[in-house]
Amino acid sequence: METLSLVVVIGAALFFTYTNGFHDSANAIATSISTRALTPRVAVGMAACLNLAGAFLGQEVAETVSEGLIDAPTGDEGMIILFAALVGAIVWNLVSWYLGLPSSSSHALFGGLVGAALAGTSTVYWDGVLAKVILPMFLSPVIGLILGYLVMVAILWAFRRANPHRAQRGFRMAQTVSAAGMALGHGLQDAQKTMGVVVMALVIADVEEEGGGIPVWVKITCAGMLSLGTYVGGWRIMRTLGRRIIELDPPRGFAAETTAASVLYAASYIFHAPVSTTHVITAAIMGSGATRRLSAVRWQVAKNIVLGWFITMPAAAGVAAVSYVLVHFVFA
């Protein structure tokens, strides 16, 4: 029974990673496609390959997820908690994808973990949730907004005497690099979050020791599923990020992607904090777009997106709690 539970939980984790990939593929490539720096087919293929590569660049975020948020009990009870958490995250990913809302797959997962743990009366490390989830959730978009604005101001000043057509062409080429950096950072952040959940399942099943690192097969399968989901693409959300917030031009697309990628790398390597790629790139797009004029940003669309951010964790937590009760009633 424990082996079957482990297989089911790992399967659910991999499916979550797949939904994460097609839900968040827009993060890396929407700006490049909307400015015509890359064709959709080339952009999606590049993002999928770099998502795969980025997953192997570190494991600090995975360790935060597997050890710093909840303390799930061993045995079937722990498996039920993890499965319910993943159901909560998957349901919210699918709902927000259908609505075209660029919400955070990461915070859907964290909300699911907390909701399932509370329903199962397991320990939630609130200090870890506050320091590693809540604070980065609020700080990273603010930093992305401010840096996106400042980077674009610096670009406008540096190229103030440049030929406009030549500058646009140059930044369109530069966006290939900035989009690649964003895709690599997305793989670095988001693949590790699922790795952390799979490692938790292996520890609960007494297959791996706590603190023993991430098995190579876990890295490969999680990275592969994220990459596959990215290749499928999330076109509904891509339209929101690429055009509905603001009509981006190549310099502003470059500024937004460069800013977002920098925040992702800093969060991963310096703070070991799992941040939302969706939050960061959306805020950076708003910041770089605001340099044109404040009214150029469609703030009502931005407001709806931000509201989506606030309800993601509670919504996923609620679905996870209900899932825990149902699964516990049927199988426990």
Side-chain angles (χ1 to χ4, degrees):
M1 183 64 179
E2 287 189 5
T3 302
L4 178 60
S5 299
L6 178 61
V7 171
V8 170
V9 169
I10 292 176
L14 294 179
F15 182 67
F16 166 77
T17 307
Y18 176 78
T19 66
N20 189 350
F22 76 68
H23 187 279
D24 289 358
S25 60
N27 294 340
I29 58 180
T31 52
S32 297
I33 292 175
S34 68
T35 61
R36 295 181 174 85
L38 295 170
T39 65
R41 187 178 297 276
V42 170
V44 169
M46 180 194 73
C49 292
L50 291 174
N51 275 186
L52 184 66
F56 295 91
L57 297 181
Q59 64 180 41
E60 291 84 0
V61 172
E63 291 171 354
T64 297
V65 173
S66 63
E67 300 173 11
L69 302 180
I70 68 170
D71 182 20
T74 58
D76 287 339
E77 180 68 16
M79 291 299 180
I80 292 174
I81 288 174
L82 289 187
F83 179 75
L86 290 164
V87 169
I90 290 168
V91 168
W92 180 251
N93 268 359
L94 294 176
V95 169
S96 56
W97 168 80
Y98 180 78
L99 296 175
L101 182 67
S103 66
S104 169
S105 295
S106 305
H107 292 112
L109 177 61
F110 302 146
L113 287 170
V114 171
L118 290 175
T121 64
S122 293
T123 301
V124 176
Y125 299 128
W126 291 110
D127 290 344
V129 172
L130 176 63
K132 297 297 186 180
V133 177
I134 303 298
L135 288 180
M137 181 174 73
F138 286 101
L139 291 178
S140 58
V142 172
I143 293 171
L145 180 73
I146 295 172
L147 282 183
Y149 182 87
L150 294 177
V151 169
M152 191 59 216
V153 167
I155 288 173
L156 290 172
W157 185 85
F159 291 88
R160 65 190 184 280
R161 295 189 178 91
N163 179 283
H165 296 293
R166 187 175 299 173
Q168 290 282 334
R169 187 166 58 251
F171 276 107
R172 190 170 280 116
M173 296 174 62
Q175 268 200 276
T176 304
V177 178
S178 61
M182 183 66 195
L184 200 66
H186 181 222
L188 172 65
Q189 272 279 332
D190 283 30
Q192 286 193 58
K193 293 159 189 171
T194 307
M195 292 179 198
V197 175
V198 174
V199 169
M200 286 180 67
L202 295 174
V203 170
I204 289 171
D206 203 25
V207 175
E208 294 285 336
E209 293 184 2
E210 188 170 355
I214 303 173
V216 174
W217 70 267
V218 174
K219 293 184 179 182
I220 293 173
T221 52
C222 291
M225 290 300 290
L226 181 71
S227 179
L228 179 62
T230 296
Y231 190 74
V232 171
W235 299 101
R236 291 173 180 268
I237 295 171
M238 204 172 294
R239 286 194 294 270
T240 300
L241 282 179
R243 294 191 178 276
R244 286 184 60 204
I245 296 175
I246 186 173
E247 293 287 338
L248 288 171
D249 55 15
R252 288 176 174 81
F254 173 80
E257 290 170 339
T258 302
T259 297
S262 300
V263 173
L264 292 179
Y265 295 135
S268 298
Y269 290 122
I270 299 175
F271 302 105
H272 305 166
V275 299
S276 168
T277 53
T278 307
H279 289 193
V280 175
I281 186 61
T282 304
I285 289 172
M286 293 177 192
S288 63
T291 58
R292 180 177 293 166
R293 62 184 185 278
L294 287 177
S295 60
V297 180
R298 299 183 179 98
W299 293 107
Q300 185 58 45
V301 175
K303 175 185 174 183
N304 293 338
I305 292 171
V306 172
L307 288 175
W309 294 352
F310 279 100
I311 66 174
T312 292
M313 284 189 68
V319 175
V322 172
S323 300
Y324 171 85
V325 173
L326 293 176
V327 174
H328 197 274
F329 175 77
V330 174
F331 295 102

